Amino acid sequence: MTPRAGMLIAAGALVAGTVTVLPAAPAGAGEPTPRPLSPLAWTDCATQAYTRLQCATLKVPLNHDDPAGRMITLALTRVPHTAKTSQGPLLVNPGGPGGSGRAMAGYVAASLPPKVAAEYDVIGFDPRGVGKSEPALDCEPGHFAPVRADSVPKGAAAERTAVARAQSFARACGEKYADLLPYIDTVSTARDLDAIRRAVGAQKINYLGYSYGTYLGAVYARLYPDRVRRMALDSVVNPHGVWYEDNIAQDYAFDTRHKAFMAWVARQNAVYRLGTDPAAVEAAWYRMRDRLRTAPAGGKVGPAELEDTFLPGGYYNGYWPRLASAFAAYVNDADPVPLKQAYERYGEADAAADNGYSVYTSVQCRDAGWPRDWNVWRKDSWDTHAKAPFSTWNNAWYNAPCAFWPVDSLTPPDVTNDQVPPVLILQATDDAATPYEGGVALHRLMRGSSLVVEEGGGNHGVTLGGNDCLDEHLAAYLATGKVPRGEGDAEVDAVCATLPDPEPEPVTPAAPSTPEKSGKRAGAVRAEPAGIALHGLLGHVR
């Protein structure tokens, strides 16, 4: 989910919208005859990291129900198979919505066992509206420029200002993209997946989706069950709460994960000198937040930017050491420079993030109903903030444009499915962005699926990131199509132990600021552990 996956606000009354009716079977029943597609012209676009990467573009209908109408362009990448016998295309998606997927092809092909990767044409793509696909959305450039107002509103006037800001963003999207917004949604993107399938000449697809990509995969499987060969879904969106009610679980889960980070810092007191009591460490973090309200660190990091900086730590604990170093330098040494650098590394929005956020809102506001009465948002946000203060209000403003969205919302489709081959579902028990209940829910809805659990894992996106046990399950499935099965009526089919928490890093004087944007460019990858590279590609660093 694009920077800050699944940041979904509150619960309350839903707004009635257009109903999305998906066919159960046969696949594509009732759809208009698709326009013939031109053959894909793959050209070399190799990078230093991915020397066999190829690129192509594909034109698809803006409105799939009007195949003779306006066309848009999708940007694709591919690492072609090298084995004598191919298992067909493996489409990969990093989530979002709004995440660029072009770099994922190279990463997945390089991260799978060579024998398995050699049997697939691994295909990445920028979904409609994203990145190199055309047109690409950017509703309001600089929307996240620092220093923003404190996300927790201090009085009615501050709240009115923040509401007006959300209204402004929604209005800008409507004014710039009135012709596009009705077609920036998950069902349209799923139909794009099928256009890619046709363009590469495959009868069926294989699919690996992370985060929001799990929901996209589930919707595709509902639309086209007989066109699914294999499907692996990592860190699963709860389909029962799309996109609104999921947020309460997320707000609580991110707060819990932030507390886990504070407890880790307390265990590393010899390095960070912030105390051995997790509650006291957390209290120091909130005191830091309060001080930044009147004196933003480096002139850039106020309370909202602090939340943006530390939120990636809720996705991936590999960020904890550097975040803790910046925290300690500020509290113990009154040094704001490391905190500013951490913001530039982990939280600052660039043009790619502006694009991702524009697509994120466009998809989520269109996909499902949102309350149009701001009083609902206010009550739910304050109620949740009282118990989970870490990111609730930050999250609320991130999604607030949906209260004022200029296009009617659809109704989320039922993704119940008993017609697809066995689907492999992989889920960490302590994932904050897509809490564990989502993996269980989709497992129950997709008959014959297999649920593999990372017990005690708190990261979001768990395969191809360093856990050999999980990676072996994924590789075996892609190689053979077989899934693990639990004994008897056990809901969980296999369990993997989580990886150890990271080792601390010494608090050292700040180096010159060099922001990293490794997850924003096709082919970009850090010379760091697999988990760092993966989470950059998944968009958890802006």
Side-chain angles (χ1 to χ4, degrees), residues 327-388:
F327 175 21
Y330 184 89
V331 171
N332 295 328
D333 304 321
D335 184 358
V337 175
L339 199 60
K340 173 177 175 286
Q341 292 179 345
Y343 168 68
E344 292 170 342
R345 182 184 182 103
Y346 298 116
E348 189 169 29
D350 58 9
D354 285 344
N355 166 242
Y357 179 63
S358 296
V359 177
Y360 170 91
T361 49
S362 297
V363 170
Q364 300 222 341
C365 299
R366 175 65 169 153
D367 261 4
W370 298 75
R372 298 287 179 154
D373 180 354
W374 181 253
N375 291 322
V376 174
W377 295 68
R378 177 189 299 112
K379 180 181 185 304
D380 290 337
S381 295
W382 280 120
D383 287 350
T384 305
H385 174 84
K387 297 178 181 179

Side-chain angles (χ1 to χ4, degrees), residues 177-193:
Y177 303 116
D179 55 338
L180 297 177
L181 294 186
Y183 309 105
I184 307 295
D185 61 85
T186 298
V187 171
S188 295
T189 303
R191 295 173 78 174
D192 290 342
L193 287 181

Side-chain angles (χ1 to χ4, degrees), residues 37 40 58 60 74 76 89 91 123-125 191-202 205:
L37 298 173
L40 292 175
L58 174 65
V60 298
L74 304 180
L76 315 179
L91 276 64
I123 297 175
F125 63 99
R191 295 173 78 174
D192 290 342
L193 287 181
D194 203 57
I196 297 172
R197 176 197 62 80
R198 291 196 298 122
V200 300
I205 68 166

Side-chain angles (χ1 to χ4, degrees), residues 41-47 50-56 78:
W42 294 103
T43 60
D44 178 76
C45 60
T47 68
Y50 310 129
T51 57
R52 296 193 302 113
L53 196 67
Q54 299 173 342
C55 292
R78 177 181 75 168

